[in-house]
Structures are given as structure tokens and as C-alpha cells.
Amino acid sequence: MRVLIAAELQPLLPSDPLPGYGVEWIPSQEPTPRGDYVAIIPLLSRPIGEGELDGLPNLRVLAQCAVGYDNIDLAAAARRGIPVTNTPDVLTESTADLAWTLILSVARRTKEAQEVLYQDSWTGWSPTQLLGLELNGSTLGIVGAGRIGQAVGRRAVGFGMAVLYSDSEGRPEFEEGVGASRRDLFALLAESDVVSVHVPSTNETRGLFDAVRFSSMKPGALFINTARGDLVDEEALREALDLGRLGGAGLDVFSREPDVPRGLVQHPKVVALPHIGSATTVTRRAMAELAVENAAAVLDGRPPVTPVEL
Ligand code: DGY
């Protein structure tokens, strides 16, 4: 019985991750092969829809190695009775750290500051050079207070920030633990100095951050996205930055990865990273292992550890 595993995971896994099964390592740029595979462990860059599933008639589990699974057509999997799993929890803290890397970099204008040195144009200490946002006493707005959003919010306490959140449900423990207050999205945008996005990409959230949302943000506020690029109208974001409506943006994700909008990436007010939110050795290994554990469970007839609700 054969299984397909993303080749990029090979260095993170034992040589025989699913004993008893014939593992084929498939690079993520290659199209999904057709065949009698019983399990597939894909990365988020592999689209899996009707066409791919038609070519995998024996598939018993789709064990995504990521918390997000917007590359997978869940309805198509459900129609075939194929369980889908993902890798939540294990990447929460590393992704929250990366969101904070962006918050701090954008608030303190480190890209522009480095450029001064790269260009050899520094003329010495100046009281008015590169003034940034004082995080202490400012307000952080978290859009989507799931695991990662809450982890970002917890870190805000140490920086002396007030925390707002918008979410489809109230999060009483988050409110108690962090002193966070719930707002509807437009109120959050109007009140926050920094807005950090943590919602999944779905039909409801795609394009959520458009010109209207950006113009509803506090003038000069900062926008941080470590969730998914297609939540954002990237043209509208660029315009808001060019017009000075926003003070800066920190982006780890883009709508057509790995193609990135050059105008945004090179914008002096944008700190851009190549989707490295969960990129620590510990987290990436834990993600790979959890994906394998999920596949093994289903193949053994056990419930998966972290199923996606279909
Ligand atoms: C995910 O897991 O969905 C991230 O985007 C990559 O870790």
C-alpha cells in the first residue's frame, strides 16, 4: 500500500515514517500523481480538488501538514468520505512569535533604519530620526481570536498594550486572562493602533481587507498579516500605504505565493517575509510528525488526532 508524502518533509521525518507502507516522496511543485495511494501528506501549496481526488480512488486520508487547509476542497473530500486532518496547536507559539517580529519591526521602522546604514547615509544620532510607534499604551486589535490570535494577544500584555479582538464567538477566558475586549470588526479597526489578522481563508474571509476596511483603520495604524495572503486586497493595501492612510504593514503571506507583489515587498513601509510563521526546527518537526500520526491513525482504523470538521 502506497502513501504520498511531500518531499520537503523528508529531512524532518524518520526514513520509514509509516512502516508497512510504501512511501513515495513527492516534491510540492510536481502535480499530484494518480494511483492507488491510500494516504497523502501534502503541504499547503498542493491544490487538492475533484480532479486530484478522482485520480486517487483508494485514498483513505488526507493529512495536511499545516494548520490551514484552504488548498483542499473539503466538500470534494467529504463527498468521497475521505477524512482530512491538519496540524493545529504545535505551531501556535512560533507563529505568534513571528507576528510579533513583524509588529516590532514595523512599529520601530527597522527596514527604513537598516536602509540608512545600507545606503551609508547616516549622519549621526538625531532626536527626530525614524520615530516609530510606542507600543506601550497603544492598542492591538486581533482579528480572529483562535489559538494563534490569542497567543499574539497574550504577548501584548508584556508590551503594555490594550487588546481588542473581533471573532464570531466571545472568548471569555481570553478576556479574563489578557483583559481583552471584544469589538465588531469596524469598531476594532477604528480603535486599534496595530491590527493583526488571524482568521483562516474561507469564502467568507477572502478579500476581507479591502479599501473599505483599510480606510476604516485609524490613520497611521499598522497592519500585520501572518494568516493567509488572499484575505487582503494587495492593491488596496499598497494604495493605503502610498497615501499614508496606514503607517506600515508586516506581511508573512501573499495571495499568489511564491509570486509576490514587488511594489508591496519593496515598499519602504512594508516588512515582508516569505511565509515563515511556523519556521522553527521544533515546530516544523512537530508539524511533520503530527501529520504522519494523523495518517497512521486513520490507516490503522483509529480516530485521527486532529481532524478537520468536514
Ligand atoms: C499553516 O500551517 O497553515 C501555516 O501557514 C504554515 O505553517
Side-chain angles (χ1 to χ4, degrees):
M1 280 190 290
R2 297 189 299 162
V3 302
L4 276 174
I5 305 184
E8 295 81 355
L9 296 175
Q10 203 164 7
L12 300 170
L13 288 170
S15 56
D16 190 11
L18 283 165
Y21 293 90
V23 171
E24 289 178 26
W25 302 95
I26 177 178
S28 287
Q29 324 79 274
E30 286 183 15
T32 305
R34 305 168 76 81
D36 59 357
Y37 302 97
V38 291
I40 174 163
I41 301 181
L43 303 184
L44 47 82
S45 48
R46 176 173 300 287
I48 300 188
E50 295 284 0
E52 287 76 17
L53 293 175
D54 279 346
L56 301 165
N58 296 342
L59 197 67
R60 287 166 51 200
V61 57
L62 238 166
Q64 169 93 335
C65 185
V67 67
Y69 42 82
D70 43 299
N71 55 311
I72 297 174
D73 182 340
L74 288 189
R79 273 194 288 281
R80 291 163 175 81
I82 300 169
V84 177
T85 65
N86 66 341
T87 60
D89 297 318
V90 293
L91 47 68
T92 299
E93 303 303 331
S94 54
T95 308
D97 285 349
L98 203 273
W100 270 94
T101 305
L102 289 173
I103 293 171
L104 289 162
S105 300
V106 178
R108 298 306 300 273
R109 303 175 60 185
T110 60
K111 183 181 189 177
E112 293 163 89
Q114 279 187 318
E115 203 51 31
V116 170
L117 296 181
Y118 291 156
Q119 299 302 326
D120 204 10
S121 59
W122 192 32
T123 52
W125 192 88
S126 153
T128 54
Q129 188 182 26
L130 288 162
L131 303 182
L133 172 71
E134 176 109 0
L135 291 176
N136 184 42
S138 295
T139 298
L140 172 66
I142 292 174
V143 180
R147 299 177 188 84
I148 298 172
Q150 291 192 32
V152 170
R154 282 196 295 277
R155 284 156 174 74
V157 177
F159 285 95
M161 295 186 82
V163 179
L164 303 177
Y165 75 100
S166 75
D167 200 288
S168 51
E169 47 185 297
R171 308 281 187 174
E173 281 174 24
F174 184 47
E175 294 184 16
E176 268 165 46
V178 168
S181 307
R182 188 173 174 205
R183 295 281 190 279
D184 69 38
L185 180 59
F186 280 101
L188 177 142
L189 296 177
E191 290 177 53
S192 300
D193 301 291
V194 180
V195 172
S196 190
V197 185
H198 302 285
V199 290
S201 167
T202 64
N203 289 340
E204 289 72 46
T205 59
R206 235 160 268 138
L208 178 67
F209 284 90
D210 57 5
V212 175
R213 265 51 175 229
F214 288 128
S215 62
S216 306
M217 284 174 66
K218 219 172 175 177
L222 313 180
F223 178 77
I224 308 294
N225 187 9
T226 51
R228 282 292 182 269
D230 62 4
L231 303 171
V232 176
D233 175 341
E234 290 168 335
E235 269 301 304
L237 173 58
R238 177 156 178 212
E239 198 173 304
L241 289 161
D242 283 344
L243 294 174
R245 283 273 321 135
L246 296 188
L251 307 173
D252 184 44
V253 286
F254 300 90
S255 55
R256 279 177 295 279
E257 297 174 8
D259 292 334
V260 291
R262 304 310 309 168
L264 260 188
V265 167
Q266 289 168 351
H267 199 289
K269 297 284 182 190
V270 174
V271 176
L273 302 173
H275 204 149
I276 56 166
S278 60
T280 69
T281 312
V282 166
T283 291
R284 287 286 166 82
R285 183 157 288 134
M287 289 167 69
E289 287 169 355
L290 179 53
V292 168
E293 223 180 312
N294 276 319
V298 177
L299 293 175
D300 289 356
R302 290 178 284 118
V305 190
T306 48
V308 168
E309 212 171 295
L310 293 182

Short mmCIF file of all heavy atoms in Angstrom, two decimals, residues 204-227:
data_model
loop_
_atom_site.label_atom_id
_atom_site.label_comp_id
_atom_site.label_asym_id
_atom_site.label_seq_id
_atom_site.Cartn_x
_atom_site.Cartn_y
_atom_site.Cartn_z
N GLU A 204 -15.92 33.28 3.12
CA GLU A 204 -16.40 34.49 3.83
C GLU A 204 -15.28 35.49 4.08
O GLU A 204 -15.52 36.69 4.17
CB GLU A 204 -17.02 34.12 5.20
CG GLU A 204 -18.35 33.39 5.13
CD GLU A 204 -18.21 31.97 4.63
OE1 GLU A 204 -17.30 31.25 5.11
OE2 GLU A 204 -18.98 31.57 3.73
N THR A 205 -14.06 35.00 4.25
CA THR A 205 -12.98 35.93 4.65
C THR A 205 -12.08 36.38 3.49
O THR A 205 -11.33 37.35 3.65
CB THR A 205 -12.06 35.28 5.72
OG1 THR A 205 -11.50 34.08 5.17
CG2 THR A 205 -12.83 34.96 6.98
N ARG A 206 -12.16 35.68 2.35
CA ARG A 206 -11.28 36.05 1.23
C ARG A 206 -11.55 37.51 0.82
O ARG A 206 -12.70 37.89 0.65
CB ARG A 206 -11.53 35.11 0.06
CG ARG A 206 -10.26 34.44 -0.42
CD ARG A 206 -10.54 33.19 -1.21
NE ARG A 206 -10.53 32.02 -0.35
CZ ARG A 206 -11.40 31.01 -0.41
NH1 ARG A 206 -12.38 31.04 -1.28
NH2 ARG A 206 -11.30 29.99 0.42
N GLY A 207 -10.51 38.30 0.72
CA GLY A 207 -10.67 39.71 0.33
C GLY A 207 -11.23 40.59 1.42
O GLY A 207 -11.62 41.74 1.17
N LEU A 208 -11.27 40.08 2.65
CA LEU A 208 -11.86 40.84 3.78
C LEU A 208 -11.20 42.22 3.92
O LEU A 208 -11.88 43.23 4.13
CB LEU A 208 -11.67 40.03 5.07
CG LEU A 208 -12.16 40.66 6.35
CD1 LEU A 208 -13.69 40.76 6.34
CD2 LEU A 208 -11.72 39.82 7.57
N PHE A 209 -9.88 42.26 3.80
CA PHE A 209 -9.19 43.53 3.96
C PHE A 209 -9.08 44.22 2.61
O PHE A 209 -8.15 44.00 1.84
CB PHE A 209 -7.84 43.33 4.66
CG PHE A 209 -8.06 43.10 6.12
CD1 PHE A 209 -8.23 41.82 6.60
CD2 PHE A 209 -8.22 44.17 6.98
CE1 PHE A 209 -8.52 41.60 7.93
CE2 PHE A 209 -8.51 43.96 8.32
CZ PHE A 209 -8.66 42.67 8.79
N ASP A 210 -10.10 45.04 2.35
CA ASP A 210 -10.20 45.76 1.09
C ASP A 210 -10.08 47.26 1.38
O ASP A 210 -9.80 47.67 2.51
CB ASP A 210 -11.53 45.42 0.40
CG ASP A 210 -12.72 45.74 1.30
OD1 ASP A 210 -12.54 46.30 2.41
OD2 ASP A 210 -13.86 45.42 0.90
N ALA A 211 -10.32 48.07 0.35
CA ALA A 211 -10.16 49.52 0.52
C ALA A 211 -11.06 50.05 1.65
O ALA A 211 -10.65 50.94 2.41
CB ALA A 211 -10.48 50.21 -0.80
N VAL A 212 -12.26 49.49 1.76
CA VAL A 212 -13.18 49.98 2.79
C VAL A 212 -12.62 49.70 4.18
O VAL A 212 -12.61 50.57 5.07
CB VAL A 212 -14.57 49.31 2.63
CG1 VAL A 212 -15.51 49.70 3.76
CG2 VAL A 212 -15.17 49.65 1.27
N ARG A 213 -12.12 48.46 4.38
CA ARG A 213 -11.56 48.12 5.70
C ARG A 213 -10.32 48.97 5.99
O ARG A 213 -10.14 49.46 7.09
CB ARG A 213 -11.19 46.64 5.76
CG ARG A 213 -12.24 45.70 6.35
CD ARG A 213 -13.56 45.87 5.73
NE ARG A 213 -14.58 44.96 6.16
CZ ARG A 213 -15.35 44.28 5.32
NH1 ARG A 213 -15.22 44.41 4.01
NH2 ARG A 213 -16.32 43.50 5.77
N PHE A 214 -9.46 49.12 4.98
CA PHE A 214 -8.24 49.92 5.24
C PHE A 214 -8.59 51.37 5.56
O PHE A 214 -7.98 51.98 6.42
CB PHE A 214 -7.26 49.83 4.06
CG PHE A 214 -6.60 48.47 3.96
CD1 PHE A 214 -6.60 47.76 2.78
CD2 PHE A 214 -5.99 47.91 5.07
CE1 PHE A 214 -6.00 46.50 2.70
CE2 PHE A 214 -5.39 46.65 5.01
CZ PHE A 214 -5.40 45.95 3.81
N SER A 215 -9.63 51.89 4.88
CA SER A 215 -9.94 53.30 5.18
C SER A 215 -10.69 53.42 6.51
O SER A 215 -10.86 54.52 7.03
CB SER A 215 -10.71 53.96 4.04
OG SER A 215 -11.92 53.29 3.87
N SER A 216 -11.11 52.29 7.07
CA SER A 216 -11.76 52.33 8.39
C SER A 216 -10.75 52.24 9.52
O SER A 216 -11.09 52.36 10.70
CB SER A 216 -12.73 51.16 8.55
OG SER A 216 -13.64 51.15 7.49
N MET A 217 -9.48 51.96 9.16
CA MET A 217 -8.47 51.86 10.22
C MET A 217 -8.06 53.25 10.69
O MET A 217 -8.19 54.23 9.96
CB MET A 217 -7.24 51.08 9.70
CG MET A 217 -7.51 49.59 9.62
SD MET A 217 -6.17 48.64 8.85
CE MET A 217 -4.82 48.83 9.99
N LYS A 218 -7.57 53.29 11.90
CA LYS A 218 -7.07 54.54 12.48
C LYS A 218 -5.98 55.10 11.57
O LYS A 218 -5.10 54.34 11.13
CB LYS A 218 -6.42 54.18 13.82
CG LYS A 218 -6.63 55.10 14.94
CD LYS A 218 -6.06 54.43 16.20
CE LYS A 218 -6.14 55.36 17.35
NZ LYS A 218 -5.68 54.73 18.59
N PRO A 219 -5.99 56.38 11.26
CA PRO A 219 -4.93 56.92 10.40
C PRO A 219 -3.55 56.61 10.98
O PRO A 219 -3.32 56.79 12.17
CB PRO A 219 -5.20 58.43 10.41
CG PRO A 219 -6.65 58.56 10.78
CD PRO A 219 -6.99 57.39 11.67
N GLY A 220 -2.69 56.08 10.12
CA GLY A 220 -1.32 55.78 10.57
C GLY A 220 -1.17 54.43 11.25
O GLY A 220 -0.07 54.06 11.68
N ALA A 221 -2.28 53.66 11.35
CA ALA A 221 -2.21 52.36 12.04
C ALA A 221 -1.38 51.37 11.22
O ALA A 221 -1.13 51.57 10.03
CB ALA A 221 -3.61 51.81 12.29
N LEU A 222 -0.98 50.30 11.89
CA LEU A 222 -0.13 49.27 11.27
C LEU A 222 -0.96 48.02 11.01
O LEU A 222 -1.81 47.65 11.83
CB LEU A 222 1.04 48.93 12.18
CG LEU A 222 1.81 50.13 12.77
CD1 LEU A 222 2.94 49.64 13.66
CD2 LEU A 222 2.33 51.04 11.66
N PHE A 223 -0.68 47.35 9.90
CA PHE A 223 -1.44 46.16 9.50
C PHE A 223 -0.48 44.97 9.42
O PHE A 223 0.55 45.04 8.73
CB PHE A 223 -2.09 46.41 8.13
CG PHE A 223 -2.84 45.22 7.62
CD1 PHE A 223 -4.10 44.90 8.12
CD2 PHE A 223 -2.30 44.41 6.62
CE1 PHE A 223 -4.80 43.80 7.65
CE2 PHE A 223 -2.99 43.31 6.15
CZ PHE A 223 -4.24 43.00 6.67
N ILE A 224 -0.82 43.89 10.12
CA ILE A 224 0.07 42.72 10.19
C ILE A 224 -0.71 41.50 9.72
O ILE A 224 -1.82 41.23 10.21
CB ILE A 224 0.54 42.49 11.66
CG1 ILE A 224 1.13 43.75 12.28
CG2 ILE A 224 1.51 41.30 11.73
CD1 ILE A 224 2.41 44.25 11.66
N ASN A 225 -0.14 40.74 8.79
CA ASN A 225 -0.83 39.53 8.31
C ASN A 225 0.12 38.34 8.32
O ASN A 225 1.08 38.29 7.55
CB ASN A 225 -1.38 39.76 6.90
CG ASN A 225 -2.25 38.58 6.44
OD1 ASN A 225 -2.57 37.68 7.22
ND2 ASN A 225 -2.64 38.60 5.18
N THR A 226 -0.17 37.39 9.20
CA THR A 226 0.59 36.13 9.22
C THR A 226 -0.36 34.96 8.94
O THR A 226 -0.01 33.80 9.19
CB THR A 226 1.26 35.90 10.59
OG1 THR A 226 0.27 36.05 11.61
CG2 THR A 226 2.39 36.86 10.84
N ALA A 227 -1.56 35.28 8.42
CA ALA A 227 -2.57 34.22 8.25
C ALA A 227 -2.56 33.70 6.81
O ALA A 227 -1.89 32.70 6.51
CB ALA A 227 -3.94 34.75 8.65
#
